[in-house]
Amino acid sequence: MYLETTVKSAVHQVKSERLPYSFDLNPYRGCEHRCRYCFALYSHGYLGSGDFFSDIYVKKNVAERLEAFLRSRQRRDFILNLGGVTDSYQPAEAHYRLMPEIWKLLIRYRIPTVLSTKSDLLLRDFELVCELSTVAYVNIASTITTLDPTLAAALEPGASPPERRLRMLEHLSRAGVHTGLHAMPVIPLLTDTEENLSSLFEAVKRCGIDYLITDPLNLRGQTKEQFFAFLRKQFPKQYLSLVRLYQSGCLDQKYKQRMRTRIQALYQKYDVSDSYHKPFSNAETTQLSLF
């Protein structure tokens, strides 16, 4: 269900040494991609809505409020993230088309921008993304946990198939846009196999993607409840073993260390960068640490 709303502010400040951006804009609340491991479920709590995947709040005036924010700032040497707790190119965007006006404003004000999506709908706005990349830093990433289409459909039932996401990144990379593959979360017993991880590193090299970053599955609050319920139903053989790996509330440290060692070996084998974004002038830069 789409719930149209208006907002007083489009942008909020993010304070984290781990992230390369300092402001975040979410054109929607909720997400139709229905990822089983979604960390953003908490963000619906204050809205009084318990269905993050079905109650999609559409911020009809988000471009207007973004323009007010940009006009009000004397300095614009910051990086803006599009979609910290939603996917800006989820199916609702095909209908509401909020993003083109947002890109046009970012081009006008020359705002360095990062965006991660699981939808190749972004290619609809390909020319706008490329235009912004000629006047400001742009980083487009896609989260791809596996290239196995059956497993991907189970984990991310509403997202574009992984091969389409890869083609999107390849198309952008060939146009000179900085691109990344977010192989995250790495899910123990499901996506942490040598075959699966190697296929992702190989895809980065094949498609000319600039970097790859990883992070292990984190399970907290509603995310933990949802993921375990999904696992119990669709992957019963892995259920008990995975529950044991998270019995302390966090991923078992010995398992985590083994995963880290294996992934670092893959970085060396495939000569792939783990840099979230390349340095550029007039914007904040920081290195995203792995694990």
Side-chain angles (χ1 to χ4, degrees):
M1 177 169 57
Y2 294 150
L3 304 167
E4 297 180 1
T5 185
T6 57
V7 292
K8 294 180 179 179
S9 176
V11 178
H12 70 275
Q13 190 165 13
V14 178
K15 296 181 180 180
S16 173
E17 295 181 356
R18 195 166 184 258
L19 297 172
Y21 53 84
S22 53
F23 290 94
D24 185 35
L25 180 149
N26 294 282
Y28 302 95
R29 281 288 189 178
C31 184
E32 298 166 275
H33 287 163
R34 308 188 72 86
C35 300
R36 307 302 187 181
Y37 50 79
C38 180
F39 74 92
L41 297 179
Y42 74 90
S43 66
H44 249 35
Y46 79 96
L47 296 172
S49 172
D51 197 338
F52 181 85
F53 300 127
S54 296
D55 292 342
I56 308 302
Y57 290 81
V58 182
K59 301 178 182 179
K60 292 292 295 294
N61 67 330
V62 67
E64 173 189 326
R65 299 318 304 159
L66 171 61
E67 184 170 19
F69 169 79
L70 295 176
R71 282 202 316 264
S72 70
R73 294 190 63 82
Q74 292 182 343
R75 295 184 59 184
R76 302 191 184 102
D77 55 344
F78 60 87
I79 306 172
L80 179 66
N81 180 61
L82 299 177
V85 292
T86 191
D87 194 313
S88 301
Y89 282 95
Q90 62 180 287
E93 173 60 19
H95 174 70
Y96 283 99
R97 300 181 63 91
L98 300 180
M99 289 302 298
E101 294 307 312
I102 290 172
W103 287 117
K104 290 173 186 177
L105 286 170
L106 299 178
I107 292 166
R108 185 190 310 168
Y109 289 94
R110 303 186 175 213
I111 304 298
T113 302
V114 298
L115 179 148
S116 180
T117 180
K118 293 178 183 173
S119 172
D120 62 347
L121 176 61
L122 179 139
L123 289 176
R124 181 201 65 194
D125 299 333
F126 176 78
E127 292 183 1
L128 291 172
V129 175
C130 291
E131 185 176 353
L132 177 59
S133 73
T134 66
V135 297
Y137 176 80
V138 179
N139 176 34
I140 303 295
S142 187
T143 295
I144 304 176
T145 57
T146 179
L147 296 184
D148 179 338
T150 302
L151 181 55
L155 292 170
E156 307 146 358
S160 296
E163 283 296 336
R164 280 169 47 187
R165 292 179 237 171
L166 272 182
R167 287 198 296 270
M168 172 188 70
L169 292 177
E170 183 176 20
H171 199 40
L172 289 163
S173 182
R174 287 180 175 177
V177 177
H178 199 236
T179 56
L181 191 155
H182 293 180
M184 50 203 296
V186 178
I187 304 174
L189 313 180
L190 289 183
T191 68
D192 67 340
T193 66
E194 195 73 17
E195 178 183 8
N196 185 64
L197 292 173
S198 293
S199 71
L200 295 174
F201 278 83
E202 289 170 357
V204 166
K205 299 296 287 187
R206 182 175 70 252
C207 297
I209 298 168
D210 291 288
Y211 70 90
L212 179 152
I213 58 173
T214 69
D215 209 26
L217 176 68
N218 292 311
L219 292 175
R220 298 184 181 89
Q222 290 176 263
T223 300
K224 184 175 183 178
E225 296 173 12
Q226 175 190 265
F227 186 77
F228 280 159
F230 155 75
L231 201 70
R232 187 187 302 113
K233 182 177 181 180
Q234 296 203 32
F235 294 92
K237 292 182 179 179
Q238 290 88 347
Y239 173 70
L240 289 178
S241 296
L242 206 144
V243 168
R244 283 194 289 269
L245 285 175
Y246 286 88
Q247 62 184 352
S248 68
C250 299
L251 178 59
D252 178 80
Q253 286 299 312
K254 291 183 179 179
Y255 192 96
K256 189 174 181 179
Q257 181 58 49
R258 290 196 299 271
M259 185 189 295
R260 178 189 292 116
T261 300
R262 290 170 52 224
I263 289 174
Q264 289 301 328
L266 290 171
Y267 276 112
Q268 294 180 4
K269 177 181 178 180
Y270 290 97
D271 189 26
V272 167
S273 172
D274 64 355
S275 177
Y276 198 160
H277 58 84
K278 60 186 177 182
F280 57 97
S281 62
N282 298 322
E284 307 142 345
T285 57
T286 185
Q287 178 75 22
L288 180 68
S289 61
L290 302 178
F291 295 88

